[in-house]
Amino acid sequence: MGVGIEVKDLNAWFGKAQILKEINIKVGANAVTAVIGPSGCGKSTFIRCLNRMHETNPDARLTGSVQVGDIDVYKPGTDAVDVRRRIGMVFQKPNPFPTMSIYDNVAAGLRLNGYNKRRELDEAVESSLRMAALWDEVKDVLKKSAFALSGGQQQRLCIARALAVDPEVLLLDEPCSALDPVTTAKIEELMFQLKDSCTMAIVTHNMQQAARASDYTAFMLDGRLIEHSETSRLFTTPTDPRTEAYITGRFG
């Protein structure tokens, strides 16, 4: 089941450069929120802060708070590994584990979490690949290298890998930017189907995708959250002139 996200007074830096400035936002549970804005506005940094991926850079730091369901993400003592299990992430470029088979890619997170019984793993792998709309394409080649798959299949494999550990939130950082329209449509359909089981936030440069695939949209500019509302409202009657200028193509 998905959970809500509440971000308060979030600021983030890489070295001396401040990337995020006083972000405050509430993200609804079991919905898709698109994060849009021009290149360099802080979109990817924002979602990386939600599951503590930002801190994997030694020059990174942040202030503020992130609450995801019952998890205070940055509270001292909160386990970063547990955070990333409950808040999964799919990156712009597919990143299957190169030395593992298709099956083992999906099962990797489960094994780390103590699942070792073959029947349990088989059921979870099949279920995850079905949710990622990939099972029918790979069910007979599960022992093959993940690198034998096409780019679109690899991206859906990474989604299946993230789903296998049953995350409450799934973050997607431009997951369709390098994919063809048919594969993009499959991933958008997948997002629609997953809303019952998890909350999703997707970074996208494609405003048509944001309009099609999200329930809510957040517009960022220069490290600040400018506007956040229902997608239909933001794209038809934005309240901030900067939002209107961006979605009508006057900059970005």
Side-chain angles (χ1 to χ4, degrees):
M1 191 69 175
V3 295
I5 302 168
E6 184 171 4
V7 176
K8 292 183 179 179
D9 303 325
L10 182 65
N11 295 275
W13 292 262
F14 285 116
K16 294 181 179 179
Q18 186 169 3
I19 311 301
L20 299 179
K21 303 165 185 173
E22 293 296 321
I23 303 290
N24 289 277
I25 187 173
K26 290 183 179 180
V27 176
N30 297 102
V32 178
T33 296
V35 184
I36 63 171
S39 294
C41 72
K43 304 184 298 295
S44 294
T45 298
F46 169 65
I47 68 163
R48 288 172 69 90
C49 288
L50 299 182
N51 72 342
R52 292 180 59 170
M53 288 297 293
H54 178 66
E55 69 184 34
T56 60
N57 185 314
D59 293 326
R61 65 185 179 92
L62 62 76
T63 60
S65 68
V66 176
Q67 185 82 23
V68 179
D70 61 356
I71 314 171
D72 187 342
V73 172
Y74 288 97
K75 182 180 179 180
T78 299
D79 182 10
V81 173
D82 183 53
V83 167
R84 293 177 195 136
R85 183 191 67 77
R86 296 173 69 175
I87 309 170
M89 191 161 192
V90 176
F91 298 93
Q92 181 175 358
K93 184 179 179 181
N95 60 343
F97 300 133
T99 60
M100 291 186 183
S101 67
I102 294 167
Y103 181 101
D104 288 337
N105 259 273
V106 181
L110 292 164
R111 287 177 170 137
L112 283 173
N113 282 285
Y115 288 80
N116 293 306
K117 293 182 179 178
R118 184 70 188 199
R119 184 177 176 182
E120 285 183 347
L121 288 172
D122 286 349
E123 290 175 352
V125 167
E126 178 177 345
S127 174
S128 301
L129 287 168
R130 284 188 182 279
M131 283 193 290
L134 190 59
W135 173 252
D136 289 340
E137 297 169 43
V138 302
K139 61 185 179 182
D140 297 322
V141 292
L142 292 174
K143 293 183 180 179
K144 280 193 172 183
S145 166
F147 277 75
L149 301 176
S150 69
Q153 289 174 323
Q154 286 184 23
Q155 190 64 295
R156 281 180 284 150
L157 177 65
C158 292
I159 293 172
R161 185 176 66 196
L163 293 174
V165 293
D166 195 23
E168 295 163 312
V169 176
L170 185 61
L171 309 173
L172 302 110
D173 190 359
E174 297 193 59
C176 303
S177 63
L179 304 182
D180 62 86
V182 173
T183 305
T184 295
K186 287 183 179 180
I187 289 179
E188 290 177 4
E189 176 63 23
L190 169 63
M191 289 164 55
F192 180 79
Q193 294 171 356
L194 289 175
K195 284 195 291 186
D196 287 342
S197 59
C198 69
T199 301
M200 284 169 283
I202 176 171
V203 168
T204 179
H205 275 295
N206 186 330
M207 283 183 283
Q208 289 78 20
Q209 180 177 60
R212 284 193 306 265
S214 69
D215 303 292
Y216 299 90
T217 297
F219 170 56
M220 293 182 64
L221 182 65
D222 296 331
R224 298 185 185 278
L225 176 64
I226 305 302
E227 189 165 349
H228 172 228
S229 69
E230 293 179 353
T231 294
S232 58
R233 184 183 305 169
L234 186 138
F235 278 96
T236 55
T237 54
T239 59
D240 192 290
R242 292 168 292 182
T243 309
E244 182 176 10
Y246 180 72
I247 64 176
T248 55
R250 277 180 264 165
F251 72 93

